[in-house]
Amino acid sequence: MLGVLALQGAFARHVEVLHGCGVDAIEVRTPEQLDSVDALVIPGGESSTMSKLIDSNGLRGALSERLAAAMPAFGTCAGMILLADEVLDGRADQASFGVIDIAVRRNGYGRQIDSFESDLLIDGIDGGEAVDDFRAVFIRAPIVERVGNGVEVLASVDGTPVVCRSGTTLVSSFHPELTNDDRLHRLFLDHVAG
Ligand code: GLN
C-alpha cells in the first residue's frame, strides 16, 4: 500500500496518478495511516506549513522512525525540502528529515522565474532507457545547491540537479503529478519502492 502525505498541498493528484499506475494508495494524515503504508509520497505545497502540520498531527516521531528505517519516500518540491539534509532560506521553525544528502535553497529559482517549465532528459526511466521529453513544471521550486556522495543525479536543468535519488529516497524539485506523465511515479514504484 502506498501513502501520500495529505496535510497540505498537491496531494490529491498524486493519489490519482498512483491509482492510474494500478496501485493502492491512501491519503496519510495520522500515525495509524502511516503504519499501514509501505512507501510514502510527500507532495509539493508549502514546506514550512507542512512541517508545522506534521508536528500538530503527531506525525513527526513516527515519520522520522519510518524514514530512518528506509521506508521508500518520493518528495516533490516542498516534499524534496522536507526530505533534504540541509535547507537554506527555510523558516526558523521548519524542520526536515535529512534522509537525502542534498542542500536545497527554498524558492531558490528567484522571483523572475517563480514558475517555469522545462523538458528534461531523465536517466533510467521508461524501462531503463533515458528519455528526453519529460515535461517538468516548476512552481516556486527549491534549487539544489549541493549533492553529497552517494546521491545519484537523474536529471538536471542547466547543470542544476532536479531529480535525485539516494537509496530508498527519490526527490524532484518540480511537480510530476501535474502533467499527464506517470513515468517518474513508475520509476519510484518499480526501482525505488519495488
Ligand atoms: N516554495 C515552497 C516551499 O518552500 C515549495 C513550492 C512547491 O512545493 N511548489 O515549500
Side-chain angles (χ1 to χ4, degrees):
M1 171 86 81
L2 263 284
V4 179
L5 189 65
L7 301 175
Q8 188 265 339
F11 54 86
R13 257 312 281 160
H14 275 291
V15 174
E16 287 174 11
V17 177
L18 291 168
H19 285 160
C21 291
V23 298
D24 266 352
I26 59 162
E27 295 179 358
V28 170
R29 295 189 184 81
T30 66
E32 294 71 31
Q33 289 164 337
L34 182 63
D35 269 350
S36 70
V37 302
D38 306 303
L40 187 70
V41 175
I42 305 184
E46 175 46 57
S47 56
S48 56
T49 307
M50 238 185 277
S51 176
K52 271 196 199 123
L53 292 169
I54 285 168
D55 290 324
S56 60
N57 283 48
L59 276 165
R60 176 77 57 192
L63 207 39
S64 293
E65 277 171 28
R66 290 295 305 279
L67 290 167
M71 170 180 66
F74 180 18
T76 65
C77 204
M80 171 193 249
I81 297 172
L82 287 170
L83 292 172
D85 188 52
E86 187 181 356
V87 178
L88 306 162
D89 291 343
R91 283 180 49 120
D93 58 353
Q94 83 180 82
S96 281
F97 292 102
V99 287
I100 182 163
D101 187 14
I102 56 173
V104 297
R105 187 172 297 281
R106 250 178 99 220
N107 304 325
Y109 284 97
R111 267 182 199 288
Q112 21 350 357
I113 48 167
D114 255 0
S115 295
F116 64 101
E117 298 189 16
S118 182
D119 284 325
L120 304 182
L121 176 87
I122 306 191
D123 275 343
I125 69 173
D126 219 10
E129 298 298 311
V131 301
D132 62 1
D133 60 350
F134 193 95
R135 191 80 179 152
V137 180
F138 294 79
I139 305 168
R140 293 177 62 74
I143 196 162
V144 175
E145 296 202 353
R146 180 184 61 76
V147 170
N149 288 335
V151 176
E152 196 185 347
V153 175
L154 301 183
S156 300
V157 170
D158 297 334
T160 297
V162 295
V163 182
C164 300
R165 177 194 179 171
S166 172
T168 51
T169 305
L170 179 71
V171 291
S172 71
S173 45
F174 52 89
H175 280 254
E177 79 287 3
L178 291 180
T179 43
N180 281 327
D181 190 338
D182 60 13
R183 288 176 293 176
L184 204 53
H185 289 81
R186 287 184 185 276
L187 172 100
F188 177 63
L189 295 171
D190 295 345
H191 300 291
V192 183

